[in-house]
Amino acid sequence: MRELEERILHEGSVRPGEILLVDGFINQCIDVDLMEKMGQVWKNYFADQKITKVMTVEASGIAIAALAAKELGVTAVFAKKTETQKIHDDRYQAQVYSYTKQKEYTIAVSKRLIKPDDVVLLVDDFLANGCAMLGLCEIVEGAGAKVAGIGIAIEKNFQKGGAMLRDKGYDVCSLARIDKLSPEEIVFGKADA
Ligand code: G4P
């Protein structure tokens, strides 16, 4: 998605540890128009799927999921993050390890919010190691529902998440794919849409 790549080039900044800051339009300040356009791109890309729900993990994914859901005419659901691993009968949950933050946490969704006939589009702002999206796949499939695909705003191609999810057969549509990230330059690979 050319517009997203341009915004990253002009407004993004790179921090040590290959971290891209996009606070000005995705993370802290939400550019609703841009997110609506992202939703339209995913709507077209996944047009052959009868998507019934959009899902993400709190917190940064929520705005992206909400705007994508609006474009698709469905509702958005987000998994909550908790420290506890205690099993609750009324929720689906999965363990997620964050390499960036070096800690494990639990993501959970109430069983009321996902049904076996749901066809779910998963979305997130960044795809790095892919553990968060894998945890969501586990939750959706654990509910007997179908993962329609995975829509990502910014994929870090040099980390293993994208390859891992595609190898497992998930259709990942990343709107910007970054091959190289340094304070001197940001190099994009070919985006999926
Ligand atoms: P994963 O999300 O692909 O599983 O990878 P990882 O565990 O390494 O990422 C941990 C967190 O760091 C995620 O946010 C992810 O979105 C974020 N992240 C990874 N790379 C970057 C980056 O280059 N820039 C920014 N801004 N964030 C990055 P999270 O823990 O889910 O937090 P939240 O912001 O959604 O609350």
Side-chain angles (χ1 to χ4, degrees):
M1 185 180 172
R2 188 90 198 122
E3 185 178 343
L4 178 60
E5 292 176 348
E6 278 170 8
R7 295 290 295 270
I8 293 168
L9 282 179
H10 294 121
E11 295 169 49
S13 58
V14 181
R15 292 292 141 93
E18 297 178 311
I19 294 293
L20 174 66
L21 290 192
V22 285
D23 299 17
F25 56 103
I26 290 185
N27 289 134
Q28 220 177 337
C29 177
I30 294 164
D31 186 325
V32 175
D33 283 342
L34 178 68
M35 288 190 187
E36 255 175 15
K37 288 179 196 161
M38 287 163 45
Q40 282 162 9
V41 174
W42 288 321
K43 183 180 175 180
N44 292 337
Y45 182 92
F46 292 107
D48 60 336
Q49 303 264 8
K50 288 208 173 352
I51 293 166
T52 61
K53 211 156 267 172
V54 177
M55 280 183 68
T56 190
V57 180
E58 66 177 349
S60 306
I62 295 175
I64 293 173
L67 274 299
K70 181 168 181 264
E71 288 306 310
L72 288 157
V74 298
T75 52
V77 172
F78 63 90
K80 293 191 173 188
K81 288 179 185 163
T82 96
E83 302 282 327
T84 164
Q85 292 189 23
K86 204 171 147 216
I87 304 284
H88 293 259
D89 287 344
D90 60 346
R91 67 189 202 188
Y92 299 110
Q93 61 189 55
Q95 291 303 114
V96 172
Y97 183 75
S98 168
Y99 287 92
T100 307
K101 296 181 178 166
Q102 298 208 338
K103 65 171 190 180
E104 191 170 60
Y105 56 94
T106 302
I107 58 172
V109 180
S110 164
K111 288 187 176 174
R112 284 184 297 112
L113 300 177
I114 175 161
K115 299 292 169 209
D117 58 355
D118 272 323
V119 179
V120 185
L121 174 64
L122 308 181
V123 299
D124 213 350
D125 55 345
F126 279 93
L127 177 58
N129 293 291
C131 298
M133 287 298 102
L134 194 61
L136 269 189
C137 290
E138 206 181 298
I139 284 179
V140 170
E141 288 162 0
K146 182 186 170 197
V147 175
I150 301 174
I152 297 292
I154 304 168
E155 177 175 342
K156 297 163 92 176
N157 270 347
F158 51 88
Q159 291 186 251
K160 62 179 179 27
M164 180 270 291
L165 292 167
R166 291 181 180 95
D167 282 352
K168 289 182 182 294
Y170 295 109
D171 190 357
V172 182
C173 176
S174 298
L175 306 182
R177 295 181 65 169
I178 297 178
D179 282 341
K180 189 176 170 217
L181 195 58
S182 74
E184 292 73 38
E185 61 172 353
I186 298 174
V187 180
F188 292 103
K190 192 177 178 322
D192 299 302

